[in-house]
Amino acid sequence: MATKLTLSADDVTGVVGIIPTPSTPTADHTNTVNSVDLEEAAKLADAMVRGGVDVLMTTGTFGECASLTWDELQSFVATVVDAVAGRIPVFAGATTLNTRDTIARGHRLGELGADGLFVGRPMWLPLDDAGIVRFYRDVAETLPHLALVVYDNPGAFKGKIGTSAYEALSHIPQVVAAKHLGLLSGSAFLSDLRAVDGRIRLLPLENDWYYFARLFPEQVTACWSGNVACGPAPVTRLRDLIRAERWDECQALTYELEAALQTLYPSGNFAEFLKYSIQIDNAQFQAAGFMRTGPTRPPYTEVPESYLDGAREAGRRWAALQQRYAAPHLDGLDVPSEVTLTQTP
Amino acid sequence: MATKLTLSADDVTGVVGIIPTPSTPTADHTNTVNSVDLEEAAKLADAMVRGGVDVLMTTGTFGECASLTWDELQSFVATVVDAVAGRIPVFAGATTLNTRDTIARGHRLGELGADGLFVGRPMWLPLDDAGIVRFYRDVAETLPHLALVVYDNPGAFKGKIGTSAYEALSHIPQVVAAKHLGLLSGSAFLSDLRAVDGRIRLLPLENDWYYFARLFPEQVTACWSGNVACGPAPVTRLRDLIRAERWDECQALTYELEAALQTLYPSGNFAEFLKYSIQIDNAQFQAAGFMRTGPTRPPYTEVPESYLDGAREAGRRWAALQQRYAAPHLDGLDVPSEVTLTQTP
Amino acid sequence: MATKLTLSADDVTGVVGIIPTPSTPTADHTNTVNSVDLEEAAKLADAMVRGGVDVLMTTGTFGECASLTWDELQSFVATVVDAVAGRIPVFAGATTLNTRDTIARGHRLGELGADGLFVGRPMWLPLDDAGIVRFYRDVAETLPHLALVVYDNPGAFKGKIGTSAYEALSHIPQVVAAKHLGLLSGSAFLSDLRAVDGRIRLLPLENDWYYFARLFPEQVTACWSGNVACGPAPVTRLRDLIRAERWDECQALTYELEAALQTLYPSGNFAEFLKYSIQIDNAQFQAAGFMRTGPTRPPYTEVPESYLDGAREAGRRWAALQQRYAAPHLDGLDVPSEVTLTQTP
Amino acid sequence: MATKLTLSADDVTGVVGIIPTPSTPTADHTNTVNSVDLEEAAKLADAMVRGGVDVLMTTGTFGECASLTWDELQSFVATVVDAVAGRIPVFAGATTLNTRDTIARGHRLGELGADGLFVGRPMWLPLDDAGIVRFYRDVAETLPHLALVVYDNPGAFKGKIGTSAYEALSHIPQVVAAKHLGLLSGSAFLSDLRAVDGRIRLLPLENDWYYFARLFPEQVTACWSGNVACGPAPVTRLRDLIRAERWDECQALTYELEAALQTLYPSGNFAEFLKYSIQIDNAQFQAAGFMRTGPTRPPYTEVPESYLDGAREAGRRWAALQQRYAAPHLDGLDVPSEVTLTQTP
């Protein structure tokens, strides 16, 4: 366990992979006590590191932070930390319904070896910008040794973090980055980027990364991606192309990613996706076959069956990209070539 | 602890009082371990019973279910159960972020003596009607001895429970009632009332009760009220007038309640109220002076100061009504007259 | 043409029927010059009067105020006025994109014999309550001889008229009534009813009428109905039952109306209905067969075909009710019995 | 009047200036017959051309298309066409409540010399993508000689034009461009840009132009700007910098524009701005002093006074930029230097 803050914004550079929490076959039963497939969790974490992911985050929305028990969450984070073994930073998700619970969990996750926390705010009631800043400041001051990645998810947490809150958050030493909506937030990414002025890293989705990286090459040096669980190679490839400023190829690869993900939203409806994102993402991960996952956990088990078809197609498309970009040495870019898929037959 | 289901819809009749969780002076600090004023909690619960409240519910939104620690919640419920001492049914709030946690908490709260649970669904993602029904069915089947009051709060839980879900919920034996939006839901109360067909009790807010009771006197025989924490007499008086079918007086008293609450919403804006309802309700309770409460708990501590003025005025207005209607024997209606305010100087 | 205001709130009592504008077979072509079937318009207006409708209103939303040319609107209103021949008041729809156009049109429609105007506010931008009041005051002061029915349709006009605006509107002598959302507005109908304090008539939909009439029998003495174009008898029957205070029968008939209309909203989705209400209502009218109507006018011609099935079913169900309640003398209530359907083979 | 289509997407390049409709001192009275200050209109149009604006559009939202009478709109467009005298293309706003009225008005505006039309769809009900495409196709087929700029304003017209509709619209020969939300639409600008594939010009706001121009230099060769009425020099300067690919200066100038406009939205609230945009923009134009304008026309006359302070500040800030960038020859870029302000003392 760290006793002082060791990470800064500079440590959040490249591909920030957010991983799901692999589940056992009975994870959807309410009487299941251990729903986490820890063996697969270790494999997945290791595959992320070997696949070139630069930073790892756990237990966000599709990581089922909400529906893991506290015991499960601890086991999972401990397993991930052990598997990563210090090769890259690990931020553990510690979102709860209130400040004190997040602090208590964060403290324990730090003891388990997490380098930092990935924290969304409590969401029973929305918080305004003053409330948001106070929440993160409270966590940071109580856990001064743990770096924080702010989780800005308007659907989950009932509102977008405002630009003035970003400005304030960027002055909290522990806050090193924010998982941002990127282009989906309209012009807010640009405003927030100016507000944080390089003090923290704003992370767009991998799909938007090229655009912002080209416009702000010194500031937007990292992205977040959950699709890494379908295979990290397309995203690490994008990272390498961005670093090489090979813009035309960045655009072309971005179009490929978009095409792969096109069927993920039911009838193209993003709002409808958000209502079922845990269930839909799970189906995508399963279909991609890069990792093994079981069912989602209660209560997020129900979903119109037709919504899953597009998710599975998106998973298969991504798998094809993974196959292409994981191939050995494309062109001399620093692309990891030795990754073996962890898929268990 | 009960071993079989002992409550039915008929046990939810009259005034269902929902109480706040009295807080200690340092409850707004993140390092406070015991933020519940248990002495005041016992007084409040007792005052509710002696004041004529028919059913008690704890730890909803303004009861700070979200921001109590699990230890605090247990102490509080145990204290309330002891204070009530079986005189009226007690439903303990057990809303969490997932099904298994709600079941685990519900089980323990039943051991502590709660007759039933007051349960909202997990709210990280919204649940559709199929998900809602499965959630409550899962809880009911695992805790067959505990009655359930469904908590239908669209703001907190990201959507209104649909009419078809109400129909399905009303067939679950453990589900005995639902805290409903009432008139605020437009015509949904009427649709939902038809759908449940008397199998469960739909509870409107006390302000709407007269209207629905007059139209459906055999079905809408109960209301919920959080304002009882400002003094229960106005609401128990309304109950007695409704039972006596003294409709003109019901209307007049309803107008009085509306007038008292008129300033509760900032500039009359209900949506804005919902964003800060914990903080606003707390200020109302404090100003009414019927009970003693300290500050709200993190993260729900920030609120525009100007929003609190109206809340305090609403509290004072209610206190005036309390004083009037708690007076001994108004007219021979069965009005409890012996209640002494529990206010500690 | 009237030269002084002759109508008051008391003249808006009973069933306020809002009629569609019958269209010619080529009404959906953009080069059609006269899209109004004037012969059917005259028949329809006459059938409304003979069927017992108490007040007639034209050219609201499904009356295609938006997509009639000004020439057509004049011909149609003149035809209706002639057919009604003073037997009941006629309010002509005069909603436009600005105040001056509404005044100019209103002036002309008054010359054509309309007793009053049915006016929604301009909707390019929303208007706040101050803007709403100024708009209606401007119209009233410029056309002092014409009574006004305020058209409160939040979907069309981008917002609900607020309670304080209702209070102000009720003091304008020309304003005699408002077509209100009723129960769909939640508790707003009650607030608005108190605010207007009997000075103007608030009109709920016929489906909600019984509820409000029972609670406020002296104030809610009228309703609006567009379903009268499927046959007015069910609604005039409801009126008679309300006047006779035969409440159980009111409730039963209200349930019948609800059942008939149940399929009108696509998959029960009211928001989706609102997007296509012109097209959907037209299909309902056609299927009911009480009147003859052609296609809707551009641009409101496109609609998912599946949405029309429910509309047609609703039309057929209403036709069955019409047949039942138009039958001669049910029970001695003052029910018009001589109405012949105007359907042309 | 043109008899065949003479404009293409290539003619919509550079700065597309959208102008307000200068008003007389009594324009806010409902009995005013001629509310347009035609002398100022001619001056303003001329100043736009001389100031380097590349394309002119009239009578959008702040151009008060909604609240001009048809006579006024004709006079105004005729005046602008005469003043421009063929030097740049003129697109006249012809939005109405229905297809046939837009066609009739468009025909007449073409006779008056407009090169094309700037058309939003009817907005009483929303139109879905099928309805949107049919609407524009109907207009285009009936007025084959007039180029069309699609007006995509979700607030005014009740919804964003979907990507599939953009694809279809781009195949209509008359459609040459669309006024787009740009960054405010999140990732939609990118999707729509791909869908139209160069067949039509998508116009972002001047504030977003640099970003899209840098990413798609061959496609995003034009922007729209209403701020040109505060002085066109900042925007024509931006155009010249973009063409010269002087990206750092583009970014710096974009920041200057943002800073100037920062106070335009009341408390930074864009939604609140949209409710009063006519009134707020008018205050901005007045304060900038580049043109002379009187009051807004009914019903868009009411606005919280405090909202206007920020608008005026934005106008003054823009005027300062205008003064800087209108100065003779900054650096050899092709900047018009001879423009004299048209402000009348």
Side-chain angles (χ1 to χ4, degrees):
Chain A
M1 178 194 169
T3 55
K4 61 174 189 168
L5 182 64
T6 52
L7 295 180
S8 73
D10 288 338
D11 296 300
V12 184
T13 299
V15 176
V16 178
I18 313 181
I19 51 171
T21 305
S23 60
T24 61
T26 61
D28 54 342
H29 297 191
T30 55
N31 58 356
T32 293
V33 175
N34 294 307
S35 74
V36 183
D37 182 340
L38 292 175
E39 182 189 337
E40 183 65 16
K43 277 191 190 173
L44 176 63
D46 181 65
M48 291 297 105
V49 180
R50 289 192 300 122
V53 163
D54 301 286
V55 176
L56 209 59
M57 303 214 294
T58 73
T59 41
T61 299
F62 64 75
E64 296 180 75
C65 187
S67 40
L68 294 171
T69 64
W70 174 220
D71 280 347
E72 290 172 346
L73 200 147
Q74 291 174 78
S75 307
F76 175 61
V77 168
T79 300
V80 168
V81 164
D82 287 352
V84 169
R87 289 175 289 174
I88 60 175
V90 175
F91 290 81
T95 304
T96 70
L97 283 173
N98 67 71
T99 311
R100 291 184 293 164
D101 281 353
T102 284
I103 288 171
R105 289 194 169 195
H107 179 75
R108 176 65 186 146
L109 296 174
E111 289 180 338
L112 293 174
D115 303 286
L117 304 175
F118 172 38
V119 178
R121 60 198 191 266
M123 86 284 303
W124 188 302
L125 291 193
L127 288 178
D128 65 13
D129 276 2
I132 290 169
V133 173
R134 165 137 189 217
F135 169 74
Y136 283 106
R137 184 167 288 141
D138 280 345
V139 174
E141 290 179 354
T142 316
L143 303 172
H145 57 295
L146 289 171
L148 293 172
V149 175
V150 170
Y151 189 176
D152 189 3
N153 180 326
F157 308 123
K158 299 185 174 167
K160 173 89 183 60
I161 297 177
T163 296
S164 68
Y166 267 111
E167 202 277 337
L169 292 172
S170 72
H171 287 288
I172 299 174
Q174 286 81 1
V175 175
V176 296
K179 175 180 179 294
H180 200 282
L181 269 189
L183 260 181
L184 282 172
S185 68
S187 53
F189 188 87
L190 299 185
S191 313
D192 297 344
L193 195 66
R194 290 197 77 189
V196 305
D197 197 21
R199 285 179 295 271
I200 69 172
R201 194 78 67 215
L202 291 197
L203 308 173
L205 181 58
E206 86 272 287
N207 257 9
D208 303 337
W209 190 17
Y210 151 62
Y211 303 113
F212 290 119
R214 182 161 186 183
L215 295 169
F216 303 95
E218 293 174 21
Q219 295 174 65
V220 190
T221 59
C223 78
W224 67 268
S225 173
N227 293 307
V228 290
C230 300
V235 191
T236 56
R237 171 74 180 173
L238 179 64
R239 174 199 60 203
D240 298 335
L241 290 172
I242 285 173
R243 287 180 177 167
E245 302 198 354
R246 289 158 60 167
W247 301 127
D248 288 351
E249 290 166 88
C250 289
Q251 177 71 79
L253 179 51
T254 294
Y255 285 157
E256 287 185 302
L257 301 182
E258 279 176 16
L261 298 172
Q262 188 180 319
T263 62
L264 194 61
Y265 305 155
S267 309
N269 189 331
F270 185 62
E272 204 62 17
F273 166 77
L274 284 183
K275 291 187 200 165
Y276 300 96
S277 67
I278 291 173
Q279 298 96 313
I280 290 174
D281 285 340
N282 180 268
Q284 179 198 11
F285 299 143
Q286 288 198 349
F290 183 83
M291 65 171 289
R292 180 181 66 202
T293 187
T296 52
R297 297 165 180 88
Y300 299 115
T301 54
E302 310 299 300
V303 55
E305 181 61 26
S306 66
Y307 285 16
L308 301 181
D309 297 337
R312 293 180 187 127
E313 174 63 17
R316 288 188 293 267
R317 291 182 186 182
W318 192 280
L321 291 180
Q322 167 68 13
Q323 191 159 16
R324 181 182 321 158
Y325 292 109
H329 264 244
L330 293 156
D331 58 3
L333 277 178
D334 179 21
V335 177
S337 56
E338 79 283 20
V339 179
T340 312
L341 300 192
T342 64
Q343 178 67 359
T344 309
Chain B
M1 177 195 168
T3 56
K4 62 174 191 167
L5 181 65
T6 52
L7 295 180
S8 73
D10 288 339
D11 295 299
V12 185
T13 298
V15 176
V16 179
I18 313 180
I19 52 172
T21 305
S23 59
T24 61
T26 61
D28 54 342
H29 297 192
T30 57
N31 59 356
T32 293
V33 176
N34 294 306
S35 74
V36 183
D37 181 340
L38 292 174
E39 182 190 337
E40 182 66 16
K43 275 191 192 174
L44 176 63
D46 181 66
M48 292 295 106
V49 181
R50 290 192 298 123
V53 164
D54 300 287
V55 176
L56 209 59
M57 304 213 295
T58 73
T59 42
T61 299
F62 64 75
E64 295 180 75
C65 188
S67 40
L68 293 172
T69 65
W70 174 220
D71 281 346
E72 290 171 345
L73 199 147
Q74 292 174 78
S75 308
F76 175 61
V77 169
T79 299
V80 168
V81 164
D82 288 351
V84 169
R87 289 174 289 173
I88 59 172
V90 174
F91 290 82
T95 304
T96 71
L97 282 173
N98 67 71
T99 311
R100 292 184 294 165
D101 281 353
T102 283
I103 288 171
R105 290 194 168 194
H107 179 75
R108 175 66 185 144
L109 296 174
E111 289 180 338
L112 292 174
D115 304 285
L117 305 175
F118 172 40
V119 179
R121 58 199 193 266
M123 87 284 302
W124 187 302
L125 290 192
L127 287 178
D128 65 12
D129 277 0
I132 290 168
V133 173
R134 163 133 192 221
F135 169 74
Y136 283 106
R137 184 167 289 143
D138 281 345
V139 174
E141 289 178 355
T142 316
L143 302 172
H145 57 297
L146 289 172
L148 293 172
V149 175
V150 170
Y151 189 176
D152 189 3
N153 180 325
F157 308 123
K158 298 184 174 169
K160 173 87 184 63
I161 297 177
T163 296
S164 67
Y166 267 111
E167 201 278 337
L169 292 172
S170 73
H171 288 287
I172 299 174
Q174 285 81 1
V175 175
V176 296
K179 176 181 179 293
H180 200 281
L181 268 189
L183 261 180
L184 282 172
S185 68
S187 54
F189 189 87
L190 298 186
S191 314
D192 297 343
L193 195 66
R194 289 197 76 187
V196 305
D197 197 21
R199 285 179 295 273
I200 68 172
R201 193 80 66 214
L202 290 196
L203 309 173
L205 181 58
E206 86 273 286
N207 258 8
D208 303 339
W209 191 15
Y210 151 62
Y211 303 113
F212 290 120
R214 182 162 185 183
L215 294 170
F216 304 96
E218 292 173 20
Q219 296 174 65
V220 190
T221 58
C223 77
W224 68 269
S225 173
N227 294 307
V228 292
C230 300
V235 191
T236 55
R237 170 77 182 170
L238 178 64
R239 175 198 60 202
D240 299 334
L241 291 172
I242 285 174
R243 288 181 177 166
E245 300 198 355
R246 287 158 61 167
W247 301 127
D248 287 352
E249 289 165 87
C250 288
Q251 177 70 81
L253 179 51
T254 295
Y255 284 158
E256 287 185 301
L257 301 182
E258 280 176 14
L261 298 171
Q262 188 180 317
T263 62
L264 194 62
Y265 304 157
S267 309
N269 189 331
F270 185 63
E272 204 62 16
F273 166 77
L274 285 182
K275 291 188 201 166
Y276 300 96
S277 67
I278 291 173
Q279 299 95 312
I280 290 173
D281 285 339
N282 180 269
Q284 179 198 10
F285 299 144
Q286 289 199 348
F290 183 84
M291 65 171 289
R292 179 182 67 202
T293 187
T296 52
R297 298 165 179 88
Y300 299 115
T301 54
E302 309 300 299
V303 55
E305 181 61 26
S306 65
Y307 286 16
L308 300 181
D309 297 337
R312 291 179 187 129
E313 173 64 18
R316 288 187 295 267
R317 290 183 186 182
W318 191 281
L321 291 180
Q322 167 68 14
Q323 190 159 16
R324 182 182 321 160
Y325 291 110
H329 263 247
L330 294 155
D331 57 5
L333 277 178
D334 179 23
V335 177
S337 55
E338 79 282 19
V339 179
T340 312
L341 300 193
T342 65
Q343 177 66 359
T344 309
Chain C
M1 178 197 168
T3 55
K4 60 173 192 169
L5 182 65
T6 53
L7 294 180
S8 73
D10 288 338
D11 296 299
V12 184
T13 298
V15 177
V16 178
I18 313 182
I19 52 171
T21 305
S23 60
T24 62
T26 61
D28 54 342
H29 297 193
T30 56
N31 60 356
T32 293
V33 176
N34 294 307
S35 74
V36 184
D37 182 340
L38 293 175
E39 183 190 334
E40 183 64 16
K43 275 191 191 173
L44 176 62
D46 181 64
M48 291 295 106
V49 181
R50 289 192 299 123
V53 164
D54 299 287
V55 175
L56 210 60
M57 305 214 294
T58 74
T59 42
T61 299
F62 64 74
E64 295 181 74
C65 188
S67 41
L68 295 172
T69 65
W70 174 220
D71 281 348
E72 289 171 347
L73 198 147
Q74 291 174 78
S75 306
F76 174 61
V77 169
T79 298
V80 168
V81 164
D82 288 352
V84 169
R87 289 175 289 173
I88 58 174
V90 175
F91 289 81
T95 304
T96 72
L97 283 173
N98 66 71
T99 311
R100 292 184 294 164
D101 282 354
T102 283
I103 288 171
R105 289 196 168 193
H107 180 75
R108 176 65 185 146
L109 296 174
E111 289 180 340
L112 292 173
D115 303 287
L117 304 176
F118 172 40
V119 178
R121 58 199 192 266
M123 86 285 299
W124 188 303
L125 291 191
L127 287 179
D128 64 12
D129 277 359
I132 289 169
V133 173
R134 165 136 189 217
F135 169 73
Y136 283 106
R137 185 167 287 143
D138 280 345
V139 174
E141 289 178 354
T142 317
L143 302 172
H145 57 295
L146 289 172
L148 293 173
V149 175
V150 170
Y151 189 177
D152 188 3
N153 180 325
F157 308 123
K158 297 183 176 168
K160 172 89 184 61
I161 298 177
T163 296
S164 67
Y166 266 110
E167 202 277 338
L169 292 172
S170 73
H171 287 288
I172 300 174
Q174 286 81 1
V175 174
V176 295
K179 175 180 178 293
H180 200 281
L181 269 189
L183 261 180
L184 283 172
S185 68
S187 53
F189 189 87
L190 298 187
S191 314
D192 297 343
L193 195 66
R194 289 196 79 188
V196 305
D197 197 21
R199 286 180 294 273
I200 69 172
R201 192 79 66 214
L202 290 197
L203 308 174
L205 182 59
E206 85 273 286
N207 257 9
D208 303 338
W209 191 15
Y210 151 63
Y211 304 113
F212 291 119
R214 182 162 186 182
L215 294 169
F216 303 95
E218 293 172 21
Q219 295 175 65
V220 191
T221 59
C223 78
W224 68 268
S225 173
N227 293 307
V228 291
C230 299
V235 192
T236 56
R237 171 74 181 172
L238 179 64
R239 175 200 58 202
D240 298 335
L241 291 171
I242 285 173
R243 287 180 178 168
E245 300 198 355
R246 288 159 60 170
W247 300 127
D248 287 352
E249 289 166 86
C250 288
Q251 177 70 81
L253 179 50
T254 293
Y255 284 158
E256 286 186 301
L257 300 183
E258 280 176 15
L261 298 171
Q262 188 179 318
T263 62
L264 193 62
Y265 305 156
S267 310
N269 188 330
F270 185 63
E272 204 62 16
F273 166 77
L274 283 183
K275 290 187 199 166
Y276 300 95
S277 66
I278 292 173
Q279 298 96 311
I280 289 173
D281 285 339
N282 181 269
Q284 178 198 10
F285 299 144
Q286 288 199 351
F290 184 83
M291 64 171 290
R292 181 181 66 203
T293 187
T296 51
R297 297 166 180 88
Y300 299 115
T301 54
E302 310 299 299
V303 55
E305 180 62 25
S306 65
Y307 286 16
L308 300 181
D309 296 338
R312 291 180 187 128
E313 174 63 17
R316 288 188 293 267
R317 290 183 186 181
W318 192 279
L321 291 180
Q322 167 68 15
Q323 191 159 15
R324 181 182 320 159
Y325 291 108
H329 263 244
L330 294 156
D331 59 2
L333 277 179
D334 178 22
V335 176
S337 56
E338 81 282 21
V339 179
T340 312
L341 300 192
T342 64
Q343 176 67 1
T344 310
Chain D
M1 179 197 167
T3 56
K4 62 171 192 172
L5 183 64
T6 53
L7 294 179
S8 73
D10 288 338
D11 296 298
V12 184
T13 297
V15 176
V16 178
I18 313 182
I19 52 171
T21 304
S23 59
T24 61
T26 61
D28 55 341
H29 297 191
T30 56
N31 60 354
T32 293
V33 176
N34 294 307
S35 74
V36 184
D37 181 341
L38 293 174
E39 183 189 335
E40 183 65 16
K43 277 191 189 172
L44 175 63
D46 181 65
M48 292 295 105
V49 181
R50 289 193 299 125
V53 164
D54 299 286
V55 176
L56 210 60
M57 303 214 294
T58 73
T59 43
T61 299
F62 63 74
E64 295 181 73
C65 187
S67 40
L68 293 171
T69 65
W70 174 220
D71 281 348
E72 289 171 347
L73 198 148
Q74 292 174 77
S75 307
F76 174 61
V77 169
T79 298
V80 167
V81 164
D82 287 352
V84 168
R87 290 175 289 173
I88 60 174
V90 175
F91 289 82
T95 304
T96 70
L97 283 173
N98 68 72
T99 312
R100 292 183 294 164
D101 281 354
T102 284
I103 289 172
R105 289 194 170 195
H107 179 75
R108 176 63 185 149
L109 297 174
E111 288 180 340
L112 292 173
D115 302 286
L117 304 176
F118 172 39
V119 178
R121 57 199 193 266
M123 86 279 311
W124 187 302
L125 291 192
L127 287 178
D128 65 13
D129 277 0
I132 290 169
V133 173
R134 164 136 191 220
F135 169 72
Y136 283 105
R137 185 167 287 141
D138 280 345
V139 174
E141 289 179 355
T142 316
L143 302 172
H145 58 295
L146 290 171
L148 292 173
V149 175
V150 170
Y151 188 177
D152 189 4
N153 179 326
F157 308 124
K158 298 183 174 168
K160 173 88 182 62
I161 297 177
T163 296
S164 68
Y166 266 110
E167 202 279 339
L169 292 172
S170 73
H171 288 287
I172 299 174
Q174 286 81 1
V175 175
V176 296
K179 175 180 179 293
H180 200 282
L181 268 190
L183 261 180
L184 282 173
S185 68
S187 54
F189 189 86
L190 298 186
S191 314
D192 297 342
L193 195 67
R194 291 197 77 188
V196 306
D197 197 22
R199 286 179 295 272
I200 69 172
R201 192 79 67 214
L202 290 197
L203 308 173
L205 181 59
E206 86 273 286
N207 256 9
D208 303 338
W209 190 16
Y210 150 63
Y211 304 113
F212 291 118
R214 182 161 186 183
L215 295 169
F216 303 96
E218 293 174 20
Q219 295 174 66
V220 190
T221 59
C223 77
W224 68 268
S225 173
N227 294 307
V228 291
C230 300
V235 191
T236 56
R237 172 73 181 174
L238 178 64
R239 174 199 60 203
D240 299 335
L241 291 171
I242 284 173
R243 287 181 178 167
E245 302 198 353
R246 289 158 61 167
W247 300 127
D248 288 353
E249 290 165 87
C250 288
Q251 177 69 81
L253 179 50
T254 294
Y255 285 159
E256 287 185 301
L257 301 182
E258 278 177 14
L261 299 171
Q262 188 180 320
T263 62
L264 194 61
Y265 304 157
S267 309
N269 188 330
F270 185 61
E272 204 61 16
F273 166 76
L274 284 183
K275 290 188 200 166
Y276 300 95
S277 67
I278 292 174
Q279 297 95 312
I280 289 173
D281 285 340
N282 180 269
Q284 178 198 13
F285 298 144
Q286 288 199 349
F290 183 82
M291 65 171 290
R292 181 181 67 202
T293 188
T296 52
R297 296 165 181 89
Y300 299 116
T301 54
E302 309 301 300
V303 55
E305 181 61 25
S306 66
Y307 286 16
L308 300 181
D309 297 338
R312 292 180 187 128
E313 174 63 16
R316 288 187 293 267
R317 291 182 186 182
W318 192 280
L321 292 180
Q322 167 67 13
Q323 190 159 16
R324 181 183 321 158
Y325 291 110
H329 263 245
L330 293 155
D331 59 2
L333 277 179
D334 178 23
V335 176
S337 56
E338 80 283 17
V339 179
T340 311
L341 301 192
T342 64
Q343 176 67 0
T344 309

